[in-house]
Amino acid sequence: MSVRAPRWASPAVPVALAVADALLVNGVTPGLELDVSLVAAAALLLRRRLPLTVFLVTLPGILIGYVWFAPMIALYTVAVRRPDRRLLAFSALLLAIAHFVPWPVSDFEPTAYRENTLTLIDASVTSVGPIALGLLVRTRGELAARVEELTRSRRHADELLAQQVLSTERARLAREMHDVVAHQVSLISLQAGAVLISAEDGGAREGARTIRELSVRTLDELRHMVGVLRAAGGDLEELTPQPCLADLPRLIELSALDVDYEADYGEGVLEGLGQSEAVERAVFRIVQEALTNVRKHAPGARVRVRVSEADAAGTAGTGKGVRELRVEVRNGAPDATASAPELPGGGHGLIGLRERAQLLGGTLEARPLPDGGFLVRATLPGATPAPRAAEA
């Protein structure tokens, strides 16, 4: 545990050293030498507020009283507070002259070359040393301030990065929520509608009607929540749910739709780019969302789902070049006699699918057909050809 010195200790210590220097050099007998030395020591109390004035006041102390601490401490303060080169050079010159010239001036011996040389060296060290130390301390303080500023900037950058990651996760969560929850809730609503039509018992019909209303309300609330989450940011990478191409038959079986499913792709088409799981998951979500839209907007329509591979140039089955994985969901016109589930839509489904395809380097198109149906077609990058495996 560190112990901090009292606030008064910082200005008091230099004054105490200067007073001790004055008493050791000039004794305790009152006189001009002791008086100017004590005045120089007392002036150090104001050295931080008036550094240059205090330095000038201490010069008589070294000229007359031969004290060193007070003028050197004052010059050090000038270097820390007022780092002007011309000012420091002039101050150093004044201190060197005050140190070199004896008092009284009439005692100066120009022919005492050895003594004058030694005194000049002492005067130079006395004047240059405090300035060098003061500039060093000032530079250290500036560097510490810059390091602190950089630390704050980096902390702020880390906070911004964390917010960006959070926004990204929220946007990806929104897409996953729409893909998974909307699909399952629409199935519940569809099954409840079937029970509502076929059930003879009044209680069963009322229960089915309640389930259907709750499903519609849940999807409506989900639409608002997805809008809030997606507004928080973009997306960079996928989350880690694990649906794959092998799960498509089960998805189609549970969809309660009239679906023809055709699979014609080689196992190696998903290898090579290191993103086979992301591609399979994207295909699954595309089919899932397309089937959900059929239940919403084209009840009773026949649906055709086809997953196939082709060359990147567009020629299927050549066995050459980089392969593409294509998924196509095509439905016919809705059956006028079928009841629509009246499920709310948030408008985010196809946007999320297009984002998935683009993130993987592929494309997605969704457009109505002349016969009243709708087409969703996506092309995703695969890899080099591999032995083909057909599944119907």
Side-chain angles (χ1 to χ4, degrees):
M1 182 178 63
S2 61
V3 179
R4 293 186 177 181
R7 297 184 61 181
W8 55 264
S10 179
V13 170
V15 174
L17 291 176
V19 170
D21 183 28
L23 295 176
L24 289 174
V25 173
N26 300 288
V28 295
T29 303
L32 180 60
E33 293 81 1
L34 181 60
D35 292 342
V36 296
S37 299
L38 293 178
V39 170
L44 293 179
L45 292 172
L46 302 175
R47 63 190 180 93
R48 293 183 176 177
R49 294 184 180 179
L50 305 169
L52 185 58
T53 302
V54 170
F55 170 70
L56 296 176
V57 171
T58 61
L59 288 180
I62 192 173
L63 176 63
I64 300 174
Y66 298 102
V67 291
W68 288 10
F69 280 4
M72 292 179 68
I73 293 174
L75 184 57
Y76 160 81
T77 306
V78 172
V80 173
R81 300 279 176 167
R82 304 279 296 276
D84 181 80
R85 293 184 178 181
R86 290 177 294 181
L87 177 62
L88 292 179
F90 181 69
S91 301
L93 180 62
L94 289 179
L95 182 58
I97 293 174
H99 187 186
F100 179 77
V101 176
W103 182 262
V105 181
S106 58
D107 293 343
F108 180 69
E109 293 289 343
T111 58
Y113 300 113
R114 181 175 182 275
E115 293 181 0
N116 291 339
T117 301
L118 293 176
T119 304
L120 181 60
I121 294 174
D122 290 341
S124 301
V125 173
T126 302
S127 59
V128 173
I131 293 177
L133 181 59
L135 294 178
L136 177 62
V137 171
R138 180 181 177 86
T139 302
R140 182 179 180 274
E142 292 176 349
L143 290 177
R146 291 184 181 181
V147 169
E148 178 64 22
E149 182 180 357
L150 289 175
T151 302
R152 290 195 301 266
S153 300
R154 183 170 182 178
R155 188 182 303 115
H156 181 62
D158 291 341
E159 293 175 356
L160 292 179
L161 179 60
Q163 293 176 2
Q164 182 180 0
V165 171
L166 179 60
S167 299
T168 300
E169 293 297 329
R170 292 177 63 180
R172 290 182 292 188
L173 176 62
R175 185 172 62 236
E176 293 296 329
M177 182 183 299
H178 183 279
D179 291 343
V180 178
V181 180
H183 179 76
Q184 301 298 334
V185 174
S186 63
L187 279 177
I188 295 174
S189 178
L190 188 63
Q191 297 294 339
V195 173
L196 181 62
I197 295 175
S198 60
E200 298 180 358
D201 181 67
R205 288 197 301 272
E206 185 63 26
R209 183 179 294 105
T210 301
I211 293 175
R212 190 172 186 181
E213 291 177 356
L214 290 176
S215 300
V216 173
R217 188 182 308 168
T218 299
L219 282 179
D220 190 48
E221 294 177 356
L222 175 63
R223 175 174 59 85
H224 292 290
M225 185 180 300
V226 167
V228 172
L229 291 175
R230 289 181 63 86
D235 39 26
L236 300 176
E237 298 178 357
E238 297 290 337
L239 297 176
T240 56
Q242 298 300 322
C244 59
L245 291 180
D247 298 321
L248 281 180
R250 180 61 176 169
L251 173 68
I252 293 173
E253 180 183 352
L254 296 176
S255 67
L257 298 173
D258 186 4
V259 181
D260 294 329
Y261 174 55
E262 179 183 354
D264 183 18
Y265 55 87
E267 296 179 359
V269 73
L270 298 174
E271 301 175 358
L273 293 184
Q275 55 182 11
S276 61
E277 293 183 1
V279 171
E280 291 194 50
R281 186 162 62 250
V283 172
F284 183 91
R285 296 304 186 200
I286 290 171
V287 175
Q288 185 183 58
E289 176 63 21
L291 295 180
T292 300
N293 288 337
V294 171
R295 282 194 295 271
K296 290 180 182 179
H297 308 296
R302 292 182 58 85
V303 185
R304 181 173 181 267
V305 177
R306 187 172 190 272
V307 181
S308 61
E309 66 171 306
D311 289 342
T315 305
T318 63
K320 298 180 181 180
V322 176
R323 313 294 288 171
E324 292 179 340
L325 190 65
R326 295 183 179 178
V327 54
E328 181 179 293
V329 181
R330 182 192 300 264
N331 64 273
D335 187 351
T337 62
S339 60
E342 299 180 357
L343 297 174
H348 301 295
L350 293 178
I351 295 176
L353 298 184
R354 187 170 287 107
E355 290 174 353
R356 284 180 180 274
Q358 291 175 353
L359 287 173
L360 294 172
T363 59
L364 183 138
E365 64 170 317
R367 55 183 174 85
L369 298 175
D371 61 357
F374 201 83
L375 171 67
V376 176
R377 178 186 294 132
T379 302
L380 302 172
T384 54
R388 302 172 64 84
E391 179 182 357

